[in-house]
Amino acid sequence: MNIDTHDARLRDPALYANRELSQLDFNFRVLAQAQDPTVPLLERLRYLCISCTNLDEFFEIRGGAIHHAVELGLPPGVDGLDPAILLKRIHERAAELVRAQYRCFDEELRPALADEGIRLLQRKEWSPRQREWLRRHFREEIMPVLSPLALDPAHPFPKILNKSLNVVVRLEGRDAFGREGHLAIVRAPRSLPRIIQLPSEAGEASHDFVFLSTVLSAFVDELFPGMKVKGAYQFRVTRNSELILDEDDVDNLALALRDELLGRGYLRAVRLEIDERCPQDIVDVLLANFELSDNAVYKINGPVNLNRAIQVYDMVKRPDLKFRPFTPRIPRDTEAMFDLIRQGDLLLHHPYDAFTPVLELIRQAAEDPDVLAIKQTLYRTGKDSPIVEHLIQAARNGKDVTVVVELRARFDEEANLRLADRLQDAGVQVVYGVVGYKTHAKMLLIVRREGHVLRRYAHLGTGNYHSGTARAYTDFSLMTADPAITQDVHLIFQQLSGMAAPLKLQRLLQSPFTLHQGVLDRIARETALARAGKQGRIVAKMNALNEPTVVRALYQASQAGVEIDLIVRGACTLRPGIPGVSERIRVRSVVGRFLEHHRVWWFGNDGEPELFCASADWLERNLLRRVEVAFPILDPLVAHRVYREGLLNYLADNQNAWQLLPDGHYQRCTPDEGEAAFSAQLALLEELYT
């Protein structure tokens, strides 16, 4: 069943928002949480810092890609925006976000925190006693590890590490060698804490903090005795962090990646943040050295590394200023996971349900003498992962353990290289997936002898095997012994670790082979139903949407009469509500206490609905250039729970939801007159824990 996704009318660039600009808008929604007085105060600070960290990552990845497109003269995408124009708009929109972030910090959060005895002190606010303590701290703890560098013919401009804290200093006078003072750079080693807490004998509130950048600027003159400091200005440069590796031209992916990682911190600069008081001639020197244009500079009234204030969240023990803690639910009978799964499919909804059963399943498999083999994909695991320990123990217990480690998990490459080394040293068979395709699928397969037969057990998830993110991200986990699903998982592992022609799977959809077409086929089915006068209905939740063929298919479904609700947390290039094109499509984004991360797709199918959970978003990279898996929820009761908790629940949210308008802007949802306020995440917490 097909639909005409080549319809020229649906290729009009006006029908597509730009992915990068849409992603920037997501950070405004995160910042709105920091601006919301109903959110606990320290949580508001955390949201502010998250929006700053997200912006860093945006420039490191998306910004770097657009710079690359400009240099290569690449053509516009489906939205019709020339890369050079897009880069200009990115800087304009990012500048708006930065101004809003610092306004929130200076005008809202700092005063509110001070009222609670938590002060993030500016230099002008230091008392004489505090200044004296900080000067002593600078001399004893900071100055010994600093290495100021004067800029002259013998000392050219140094390499500046990505996102490192630096101070550029203007000097006057002559030094001991008769050199005329000009400019110097002071780099703050990463070993120094970026937030300094004043002790009780120096503090005047219950919690007094100072940014390291403020201390450096205040006492930098002590690094240049006999010289006059005319000005000291903190700055930070963000660099492209996307590793470019021609996987077809390397003999050993791990060794090649290790070499690439050595230079990651010094790749092309894409953004300069600097103290707004810095004279233009110094700004020009920095821009010239970093080969940046004028619109890539962001002049900051405050600490350039504002995201470091996140440390205050952990340093201040004030439960009254944080979200109320909760204990995730643990199913009964987890001491016998194989018996539990054999009774029927087990669904976990993280973080409301604990990640513990997943860990227990792997632990029990490692220790069970009847388990013969374990196969697992690992994308991100976190530091000191218990999963890794269980897999190592399984190998030592004589089980056949195969792990597909995705070395190219962005920003986790170094950790994954170490992980692969540890596993291999323990006798685990480690493979790195398929050249040219990231392995992003989340799969675990256990082969167990039960009497005279071998039974397979599988875990499939929408999130990573990471205990930490399982407490902060919303995700679904399915544990099943279904023969068809476990056979499909077996075949995919066979494909990843060996070589095989495209496989015919019974239940799973797999990219880059059947997942993209599987989504299109199901949209086409709903379209055909609507054209036949029946009800067409699609409800889907994901992190991002930009694949143009899928967008066009959704437009055609809307034109045919299909009612479509999309819950898209981040970037969305589809424009809903356009008359004659997408008036039956509604798009919302939910930003709350937990990061919305699960991918759930529901197709009405004329009263016999199909529901899939997946590791993939509806992005070009996920559907066409990665190894991903979408898995059906076959048990009707389990499927109803996923539909209710993961979809309907979010469509009812009128507190943390934002509606996407046809012009690409987002409008916060509020209760209608007489309607009760409803938060999807809070409703699940109250349902499960009260």
Side-chain angles (χ1 to χ4, degrees), residues 509-548:
L509 299 175
Q510 180 203 5
S511 67
F513 305 113
T514 59
L515 184 49
H516 183 225
Q517 192 59 49
V519 170
L520 292 176
D521 287 347
R522 284 159 178 80
I523 296 173
R525 185 179 61 199
E526 298 303 314
T527 303
L529 286 169
R531 286 175 177 162
K534 299 179 181 179
Q535 185 178 24
R537 185 80 171 102
I538 298 171
V539 187
K541 185 174 186 293
M542 63 204 73
N543 299 329
L545 164 62
N546 84 327
E547 205 288 305

mmCIF file of all heavy atoms in Angstrom, residues 509-548:
data_model
loop_
_atom_site.group_PDB
_atom_site.id
_atom_site.type_symbol
_atom_site.label_atom_id
_atom_site.label_comp_id
_atom_site.label_asym_id
_atom_site.label_seq_id
_atom_site.Cartn_x
_atom_site.Cartn_y
_atom_site.Cartn_z
ATOM 1 N N LEU A 509 10.431 -4.092 13.181
ATOM 2 C CA LEU A 509 10.822 -3.239 12.069
ATOM 3 C C LEU A 509 12.252 -2.784 12.341
ATOM 4 O O LEU A 509 12.573 -2.394 13.462
ATOM 5 C CB LEU A 509 9.898 -2.032 11.950
ATOM 6 C CG LEU A 509 8.416 -2.333 11.696
ATOM 7 C CD1 LEU A 509 7.610 -1.038 11.725
ATOM 8 C CD2 LEU A 509 8.218 -3.054 10.379
ATOM 9 N N GLN A 510 13.105 -2.831 11.323
ATOM 10 C CA GLN A 510 14.518 -2.534 11.529
ATOM 11 C C GLN A 510 15.005 -1.552 10.477
ATOM 12 O O GLN A 510 14.796 -1.748 9.277
ATOM 13 C CB GLN A 510 15.346 -3.826 11.445
ATOM 14 C CG GLN A 510 16.839 -3.605 11.660
ATOM 15 C CD GLN A 510 17.691 -4.703 11.063
ATOM 16 O OE1 GLN A 510 17.172 -5.594 10.391
ATOM 17 N NE2 GLN A 510 18.994 -4.652 11.294
ATOM 18 N N SER A 511 15.638 -0.480 10.928
ATOM 19 C CA SER A 511 16.316 0.381 9.969
ATOM 20 C C SER A 511 17.763 -0.096 9.862
ATOM 21 O O SER A 511 18.290 -0.669 10.822
ATOM 22 C CB SER A 511 16.259 1.844 10.425
ATOM 23 O OG SER A 511 17.015 2.034 11.601
ATOM 24 N N PRO A 512 18.373 0.069 8.701
ATOM 25 C CA PRO A 512 17.896 0.875 7.571
ATOM 26 C C PRO A 512 17.103 0.090 6.533
ATOM 27 O O PRO A 512 17.057 0.505 5.367
ATOM 28 C CB PRO A 512 19.216 1.378 6.975
ATOM 29 C CG PRO A 512 20.165 0.239 7.190
ATOM 30 C CD PRO A 512 19.773 -0.359 8.507
ATOM 31 N N PHE A 513 16.453 -1.006 6.920
ATOM 32 C CA PHE A 513 15.810 -1.872 5.934
ATOM 33 C C PHE A 513 14.293 -1.704 5.887
ATOM 34 O O PHE A 513 13.749 -1.309 4.861
ATOM 35 C CB PHE A 513 16.190 -3.330 6.205
ATOM 36 C CG PHE A 513 17.684 -3.555 6.240
ATOM 37 C CD1 PHE A 513 18.318 -3.910 7.420
ATOM 38 C CD2 PHE A 513 18.440 -3.374 5.107
ATOM 39 C CE1 PHE A 513 19.684 -4.094 7.460
ATOM 40 C CE2 PHE A 513 19.820 -3.559 5.131
ATOM 41 C CZ PHE A 513 20.450 -3.913 6.314
ATOM 42 N N THR A 514 13.607 -2.004 6.965
ATOM 43 C CA THR A 514 12.139 -2.047 6.913
ATOM 44 C C THR A 514 11.451 -0.983 7.756
ATOM 45 O O THR A 514 10.241 -0.818 7.658
ATOM 46 C CB THR A 514 11.646 -3.426 7.389
ATOM 47 O OG1 THR A 514 12.115 -3.655 8.734
ATOM 48 C CG2 THR A 514 12.164 -4.535 6.491
ATOM 49 N N LEU A 515 12.197 -0.271 8.571
ATOM 50 C CA LEU A 515 11.563 0.659 9.511
ATOM 51 C C LEU A 515 10.951 1.857 8.798
ATOM 52 O O LEU A 515 9.783 2.217 9.033
ATOM 53 C CB LEU A 515 12.588 1.107 10.552
ATOM 54 C CG LEU A 515 12.099 2.011 11.684
ATOM 55 C CD1 LEU A 515 10.851 1.458 12.336
ATOM 56 C CD2 LEU A 515 13.203 2.175 12.727
ATOM 57 N N HIS A 516 11.711 2.488 7.917
ATOM 58 C CA HIS A 516 11.203 3.656 7.203
ATOM 59 C C HIS A 516 9.961 3.298 6.392
ATOM 60 O O HIS A 516 8.911 3.952 6.497
ATOM 61 C CB HIS A 516 12.309 4.199 6.298
ATOM 62 C CG HIS A 516 11.939 5.440 5.552
ATOM 63 N ND1 HIS A 516 12.219 5.617 4.225
ATOM 64 C CD2 HIS A 516 11.303 6.568 5.954
ATOM 65 C CE1 HIS A 516 11.786 6.800 3.830
ATOM 66 N NE2 HIS A 516 11.229 7.396 4.863
ATOM 67 N N GLN A 517 10.066 2.236 5.598
ATOM 68 C CA GLN A 517 8.926 1.831 4.779
ATOM 69 C C GLN A 517 7.771 1.348 5.647
ATOM 70 O O GLN A 517 6.602 1.554 5.308
ATOM 71 C CB GLN A 517 9.343 0.732 3.802
ATOM 72 C CG GLN A 517 8.294 0.442 2.720
ATOM 73 C CD GLN A 517 7.979 1.655 1.875
ATOM 74 O OE1 GLN A 517 8.878 2.329 1.381
ATOM 75 N NE2 GLN A 517 6.693 1.958 1.716
ATOM 76 N N GLY A 518 8.104 0.706 6.771
ATOM 77 C CA GLY A 518 7.045 0.251 7.672
ATOM 78 C C GLY A 518 6.215 1.399 8.215
ATOM 79 O O GLY A 518 4.985 1.302 8.336
ATOM 80 N N VAL A 519 6.867 2.515 8.540
ATOM 81 C CA VAL A 519 6.140 3.703 8.997
ATOM 82 C C VAL A 519 5.286 4.264 7.864
ATOM 83 O O VAL A 519 4.098 4.570 8.039
ATOM 84 C CB VAL A 519 7.133 4.770 9.521
ATOM 85 C CG1 VAL A 519 6.420 6.091 9.773
ATOM 86 C CG2 VAL A 519 7.817 4.287 10.796
ATOM 87 N N LEU A 520 5.881 4.381 6.662
ATOM 88 C CA LEU A 520 5.138 4.912 5.517
ATOM 89 C C LEU A 520 3.937 4.033 5.183
ATOM 90 O O LEU A 520 2.852 4.535 4.871
ATOM 91 C CB LEU A 520 6.061 5.028 4.308
ATOM 92 C CG LEU A 520 7.171 6.085 4.387
ATOM 93 C CD1 LEU A 520 8.054 6.007 3.149
ATOM 94 C CD2 LEU A 520 6.590 7.485 4.541
ATOM 95 N N ASP A 521 4.121 2.716 5.251
ATOM 96 C CA ASP A 521 3.019 1.799 4.938
ATOM 97 C C ASP A 521 1.865 1.985 5.908
ATOM 98 O O ASP A 521 0.684 1.934 5.505
ATOM 99 C CB ASP A 521 3.504 0.352 4.983
ATOM 100 C CG ASP A 521 4.384 -0.016 3.793
ATOM 101 O OD1 ASP A 521 4.423 0.756 2.818
ATOM 102 O OD2 ASP A 521 5.052 -1.064 3.864
ATOM 103 N N ARG A 522 2.174 2.181 7.149
ATOM 104 C CA ARG A 522 1.103 2.325 8.139
ATOM 105 C C ARG A 522 0.412 3.682 8.040
ATOM 106 O O ARG A 522 -0.795 3.780 8.272
ATOM 107 C CB ARG A 522 1.674 2.050 9.541
ATOM 108 C CG ARG A 522 1.891 0.555 9.758
ATOM 109 C CD ARG A 522 2.884 0.205 10.843
ATOM 110 N NE ARG A 522 2.982 -1.250 10.989
ATOM 111 C CZ ARG A 522 3.719 -2.030 10.176
ATOM 112 N NH1 ARG A 522 4.422 -1.488 9.202
ATOM 113 N NH2 ARG A 522 3.737 -3.340 10.360
ATOM 114 N N ILE A 523 1.149 4.702 7.691
ATOM 115 C CA ILE A 523 0.496 5.990 7.423
ATOM 116 C C ILE A 523 -0.399 5.855 6.194
ATOM 117 O O ILE A 523 -1.537 6.360 6.162
ATOM 118 C CB ILE A 523 1.553 7.092 7.210
ATOM 119 C CG1 ILE A 523 2.369 7.308 8.485
ATOM 120 C CG2 ILE A 523 0.882 8.404 6.795
ATOM 121 C CD1 ILE A 523 3.552 8.260 8.314
ATOM 122 N N ALA A 524 0.097 5.139 5.169
ATOM 123 C CA ALA A 524 -0.687 4.926 3.949
ATOM 124 C C ALA A 524 -1.967 4.148 4.246
ATOM 125 O O ALA A 524 -3.023 4.423 3.655
ATOM 126 C CB ALA A 524 0.158 4.183 2.917
ATOM 127 N N ARG A 525 -1.886 3.181 5.139
ATOM 128 C CA ARG A 525 -3.079 2.401 5.482
ATOM 129 C C ARG A 525 -4.148 3.277 6.116
ATOM 130 O O ARG A 525 -5.337 3.183 5.782
ATOM 131 C CB ARG A 525 -2.691 1.262 6.429
ATOM 132 C CG ARG A 525 -3.842 0.312 6.755
ATOM 133 C CD ARG A 525 -3.368 -0.793 7.685
ATOM 134 N NE ARG A 525 -2.882 -0.256 8.947
ATOM 135 C CZ ARG A 525 -2.094 -0.917 9.799
ATOM 136 N NH1 ARG A 525 -1.700 -2.145 9.500
ATOM 137 N NH2 ARG A 525 -1.710 -0.361 10.930
ATOM 138 N N GLU A 526 -3.710 4.166 7.040
ATOM 139 C CA GLU A 526 -4.680 5.074 7.662
ATOM 140 C C GLU A 526 -5.260 6.032 6.619
ATOM 141 O O GLU A 526 -6.447 6.382 6.675
ATOM 142 C CB GLU A 526 -4.017 5.855 8.790
ATOM 143 C CG GLU A 526 -3.483 5.009 9.933
ATOM 144 C CD GLU A 526 -4.533 4.126 10.575
ATOM 145 O OE1 GLU A 526 -5.652 4.622 10.850
ATOM 146 O OE2 GLU A 526 -4.249 2.926 10.798
ATOM 147 N N THR A 527 -4.423 6.427 5.657
ATOM 148 C CA THR A 527 -4.888 7.317 4.593
ATOM 149 C C THR A 527 -5.948 6.624 3.743
ATOM 150 O O THR A 527 -6.994 7.218 3.420
ATOM 151 C CB THR A 527 -3.688 7.736 3.710
ATOM 152 O OG1 THR A 527 -2.692 8.344 4.527
ATOM 153 C CG2 THR A 527 -4.122 8.714 2.624
ATOM 154 N N ALA A 528 -5.695 5.373 3.386
ATOM 155 C CA ALA A 528 -6.662 4.610 2.589
ATOM 156 C C ALA A 528 -7.964 4.408 3.344
ATOM 157 O O ALA A 528 -9.057 4.488 2.756
ATOM 158 C CB ALA A 528 -6.052 3.264 2.196
ATOM 159 N N LEU A 529 -7.890 4.158 4.626
ATOM 160 C CA LEU A 529 -9.102 3.995 5.438
ATOM 161 C C LEU A 529 -9.932 5.265 5.419
ATOM 162 O O LEU A 529 -11.166 5.229 5.259
ATOM 163 C CB LEU A 529 -8.721 3.626 6.871
ATOM 164 C CG LEU A 529 -8.214 2.199 7.104
ATOM 165 C CD1 LEU A 529 -7.631 2.056 8.515
ATOM 166 C CD2 LEU A 529 -9.343 1.189 6.905
ATOM 167 N N ALA A 530 -9.262 6.400 5.582
ATOM 168 C CA ALA A 530 -9.985 7.676 5.591
ATOM 169 C C ALA A 530 -10.623 7.941 4.230
ATOM 170 O O ALA A 530 -11.767 8.422 4.152
ATOM 171 C CB ALA A 530 -9.028 8.808 5.976
ATOM 172 N N ARG A 531 -9.921 7.640 3.159
ATOM 173 C CA ARG A 531 -10.480 7.855 1.816
ATOM 174 C C ARG A 531 -11.662 6.938 1.550
ATOM 175 O O ARG A 531 -12.540 7.256 0.733
ATOM 176 C CB ARG A 531 -9.393 7.629 0.773
ATOM 177 C CG ARG A 531 -8.380 8.781 0.719
ATOM 178 C CD ARG A 531 -7.246 8.482 -0.231
ATOM 179 N NE ARG A 531 -6.334 9.624 -0.323
ATOM 180 C CZ ARG A 531 -5.104 9.569 -0.790
ATOM 181 N NH1 ARG A 531 -4.600 8.397 -1.184
ATOM 182 N NH2 ARG A 531 -4.362 10.655 -0.854
ATOM 183 N N ALA A 532 -11.690 5.800 2.248
ATOM 184 C CA ALA A 532 -12.805 4.860 2.100
ATOM 185 C C ALA A 532 -13.965 5.202 3.031
ATOM 186 O O ALA A 532 -14.926 4.428 3.124
ATOM 187 C CB ALA A 532 -12.319 3.439 2.375
ATOM 188 N N GLY A 533 -13.884 6.322 3.711
ATOM 189 C CA GLY A 533 -14.959 6.752 4.594
ATOM 190 C C GLY A 533 -14.876 6.181 5.987
ATOM 191 O O GLY A 533 -15.797 6.359 6.794
ATOM 192 N N LYS A 534 -13.786 5.504 6.296
ATOM 193 C CA LYS A 534 -13.605 4.961 7.640
ATOM 194 C C LYS A 534 -12.730 5.907 8.457
ATOM 195 O O LYS A 534 -12.193 6.884 7.935
ATOM 196 C CB LYS A 534 -12.974 3.566 7.559
ATOM 197 C CG LYS A 534 -13.833 2.567 6.794
ATOM 198 C CD LYS A 534 -13.179 1.210 6.697
ATOM 199 C CE LYS A 534 -14.047 0.241 5.911
ATOM 200 N NZ LYS A 534 -13.412 -1.101 5.784
ATOM 201 N N GLN A 535 -12.596 5.593 9.721
ATOM 202 C CA GLN A 535 -11.813 6.476 10.592
ATOM 203 C C GLN A 535 -10.328 6.176 10.452
ATOM 204 O O GLN A 535 -9.875 5.061 10.679
ATOM 205 C CB GLN A 535 -12.227 6.317 12.058
ATOM 206 C CG GLN A 535 -11.509 7.306 12.975
ATOM 207 C CD GLN A 535 -11.959 7.175 14.425
ATOM 208 O OE1 GLN A 535 -12.442 6.133 14.846
ATOM 209 N NE2 GLN A 535 -11.800 8.238 15.191
ATOM 210 N N GLY A 536 -9.563 7.197 10.088
ATOM 211 C CA GLY A 536 -8.116 7.096 10.078
ATOM 212 C C GLY A 536 -7.564 7.847 11.277
ATOM 213 O O GLY A 536 -7.978 8.988 11.549
ATOM 214 N N ARG A 537 -6.642 7.228 11.993
ATOM 215 C CA ARG A 537 -6.168 7.848 13.243
ATOM 216 C C ARG A 537 -4.712 7.463 13.489
ATOM 217 O O ARG A 537 -4.334 6.283 13.379
ATOM 218 C CB ARG A 537 -7.018 7.379 14.424
ATOM 219 C CG ARG A 537 -6.686 8.046 15.759
ATOM 220 C CD ARG A 537 -7.327 9.411 15.851
ATOM 221 N NE ARG A 537 -7.206 9.977 17.198
ATOM 222 C CZ ARG A 537 -6.305 10.917 17.546
ATOM 223 N NH1 ARG A 537 -5.458 11.391 16.645
ATOM 224 N NH2 ARG A 537 -6.275 11.369 18.776
ATOM 225 N N ILE A 538 -3.887 8.453 13.812
ATOM 226 C CA ILE A 538 -2.483 8.230 14.153
ATOM 227 C C ILE A 538 -2.160 9.066 15.381
ATOM 228 O O ILE A 538 -2.475 10.261 15.436
ATOM 229 C CB ILE A 538 -1.538 8.645 12.996
ATOM 230 C CG1 ILE A 538 -1.809 7.813 11.741
ATOM 231 C CG2 ILE A 538 -0.072 8.503 13.427
ATOM 232 C CD1 ILE A 538 -1.070 8.317 10.513
ATOM 233 N N VAL A 539 -1.547 8.431 16.369
ATOM 234 C CA VAL A 539 -1.001 9.149 17.527
ATOM 235 C C VAL A 539 0.432 8.661 17.690
ATOM 236 O O VAL A 539 0.672 7.454 17.781
ATOM 237 C CB VAL A 539 -1.800 8.874 18.818
ATOM 238 C CG1 VAL A 539 -1.287 9.772 19.944
ATOM 239 C CG2 VAL A 539 -3.287 9.086 18.603
ATOM 240 N N ALA A 540 1.380 9.585 17.713
ATOM 241 C CA ALA A 540 2.786 9.172 17.793
ATOM 242 C C ALA A 540 3.559 10.128 18.679
ATOM 243 O O ALA A 540 3.311 11.337 18.677
ATOM 244 C CB ALA A 540 3.412 9.119 16.399
ATOM 245 N N LYS A 541 4.494 9.574 19.426
ATOM 246 C CA LYS A 541 5.332 10.350 20.333
ATOM 247 C C LYS A 541 6.800 10.052 20.015
ATOM 248 O O LYS A 541 7.169 8.906 19.787
ATOM 249 C CB LYS A 541 5.042 9.988 21.786
ATOM 250 C CG LYS A 541 5.774 10.832 22.815
ATOM 251 C CD LYS A 541 5.304 10.480 24.224
ATOM 252 C CE LYS A 541 5.914 11.425 25.250
ATOM 253 N NZ LYS A 541 7.366 11.273 25.376
ATOM 254 N N MET A 542 7.618 11.106 19.996
ATOM 255 C CA MET A 542 9.030 10.947 19.645
ATOM 256 C C MET A 542 9.793 12.171 20.121
ATOM 257 O O MET A 542 9.213 13.151 20.605
ATOM 258 C CB MET A 542 9.179 10.751 18.133
ATOM 259 C CG MET A 542 8.724 11.942 17.318
ATOM 260 S SD MET A 542 8.256 11.514 15.617
ATOM 261 C CE MET A 542 6.692 10.663 15.879
ATOM 262 N N ASN A 543 11.102 12.139 19.936
ATOM 263 C CA ASN A 543 11.941 13.265 20.347
ATOM 264 C C ASN A 543 12.076 14.311 19.260
ATOM 265 O O ASN A 543 12.259 15.489 19.553
ATOM 266 C CB ASN A 543 13.341 12.773 20.733
ATOM 267 C CG ASN A 543 13.314 11.810 21.892
ATOM 268 O OD1 ASN A 543 12.464 11.893 22.753
ATOM 269 N ND2 ASN A 543 14.250 10.877 21.902
ATOM 270 N N ALA A 544 12.043 13.891 17.997
ATOM 271 C CA ALA A 544 12.235 14.830 16.902
ATOM 272 C C ALA A 544 11.663 14.237 15.622
ATOM 273 O O ALA A 544 11.550 13.021 15.474
ATOM 274 C CB ALA A 544 13.722 15.162 16.725
ATOM 275 N N LEU A 545 11.321 15.126 14.683
ATOM 276 C CA LEU A 545 10.730 14.719 13.411
ATOM 277 C C LEU A 545 11.263 15.629 12.312
ATOM 278 O O LEU A 545 11.090 16.852 12.385
ATOM 279 C CB LEU A 545 9.202 14.802 13.492
ATOM 280 C CG LEU A 545 8.413 14.780 12.179
ATOM 281 C CD1 LEU A 545 8.633 13.469 11.443
ATOM 282 C CD2 LEU A 545 6.921 14.999 12.448
ATOM 283 N N ASN A 546 11.909 15.031 11.285
ATOM 284 C CA ASN A 546 12.342 15.850 10.158
ATOM 285 C C ASN A 546 12.402 15.097 8.834
ATOM 286 O O ASN A 546 12.711 15.700 7.813
ATOM 287 C CB ASN A 546 13.725 16.472 10.439
ATOM 288 C CG ASN A 546 14.875 15.525 10.095
ATOM 289 O OD1 ASN A 546 14.758 14.306 10.226
ATOM 290 N ND2 ASN A 546 15.996 16.078 9.660
ATOM 291 N N GLU A 547 12.122 13.782 8.814
ATOM 292 C CA GLU A 547 12.299 13.023 7.590
ATOM 293 C C GLU A 547 11.235 13.474 6.572
ATOM 294 O O GLU A 547 10.035 13.308 6.794
ATOM 295 C CB GLU A 547 12.178 11.532 7.889
ATOM 296 C CG GLU A 547 12.903 10.659 6.879
ATOM 297 C CD GLU A 547 12.217 10.605 5.545
ATOM 298 O OE1 GLU A 547 11.018 10.247 5.498
ATOM 299 O OE2 GLU A 547 12.877 10.930 4.530
ATOM 300 N N PRO A 548 11.636 14.075 5.449
ATOM 301 C CA PRO A 548 10.674 14.731 4.559
ATOM 302 C C PRO A 548 9.652 13.788 3.939
ATOM 303 O O PRO A 548 8.501 14.184 3.733
ATOM 304 C CB PRO A 548 11.557 15.389 3.489
ATOM 305 C CG PRO A 548 12.900 14.772 3.613
ATOM 306 C CD PRO A 548 13.028 14.293 5.023
#
